[in-house]
Amino acid sequence: MGLGLLPDGAKLVGVFSVLHDSHLRPKIITPTSPAKLSNGWKFVIRFQVGTGGLIAKGVAVPLMAPSFTSHSFSMNQRLMFLISGRATTVSCSTFEVEVEAPSSGVLAPSGYHLLFVVNGGIPSKGILFQMQ
């Protein structure tokens, strides 16, 4: 049984999709998709969270290289968590977090990746980034 993360933030477990539709689910405001990114760049992600607010565990920002499927196996899916600062409050339901792109093309090769904001284990919808 495998585990994957879909662009809409749903978790794929085996053949079942688990979608979080919750007041805790983040929504990325900026940057917009598709965006371009180079290794080592620092950038700010602005996002909103519903009435549940931020979870005390903090916010994680994973970057995922989409997989390709061959012979019914999902191969090459690569997930890494970006180095990020603490989320700061912009308004009552809007937050910002500064993150740093992977430092090398070995960690995040050129091509398209999906970026998520995770609040308390609940992922946002992914936005598309092109690593250069």
Side-chain angles (χ1 to χ4, degrees):
M1 185 177 297
L3 175 66
L5 192 58
L6 301 175
D8 67 356
K11 295 175 186 172
L12 183 66
V13 182
V15 295
F16 301 103
S17 175
V18 180
L19 182 61
H20 297 285
D21 190 5
S22 167
H23 60 282
L24 297 173
R25 186 173 184 176
K27 178 184 178 185
I28 299 173
I29 301 169
T30 59
T32 58
S33 184
K36 293 186 178 186
L37 189 61
S38 290
N39 290 322
W41 279 10
K42 289 186 179 181
F43 61 102
V44 173
I45 299 171
R46 185 174 280 197
F47 61 98
Q48 291 179 325
V49 178
T51 57
L54 288 182
I55 298 297
K57 292 183 204 173
V59 171
V61 182
L63 184 69
M64 185 182 75
S67 63
F68 62 90
T69 304
S70 174
H71 299 85
S72 75
F73 291 101
S74 181
M75 300 170 15
N76 194 41
Q77 190 171 47
R78 182 184 298 229
L79 175 69
M80 67 197 82
F81 287 87
L82 301 184
I83 297 170
S84 63
R86 190 174 195 110
T88 57
T89 304
V90 175
S91 69
C92 63
S93 63
T94 304
F95 303 90
E96 284 183 345
V97 63
E98 183 179 68
V99 296
E100 185 176 339
S103 58
S104 137
V106 173
L107 297 173
S110 295
Y112 289 95
H113 294 69
L114 288 166
L115 182 133
F116 299 87
V117 172
V118 179
N119 178 34
I122 301 172
S124 66
K125 289 184 178 182
I127 61 170
L128 204 55
F129 267 91
Q130 181 181 9
M131 292 298 295
Q132 299 179 323

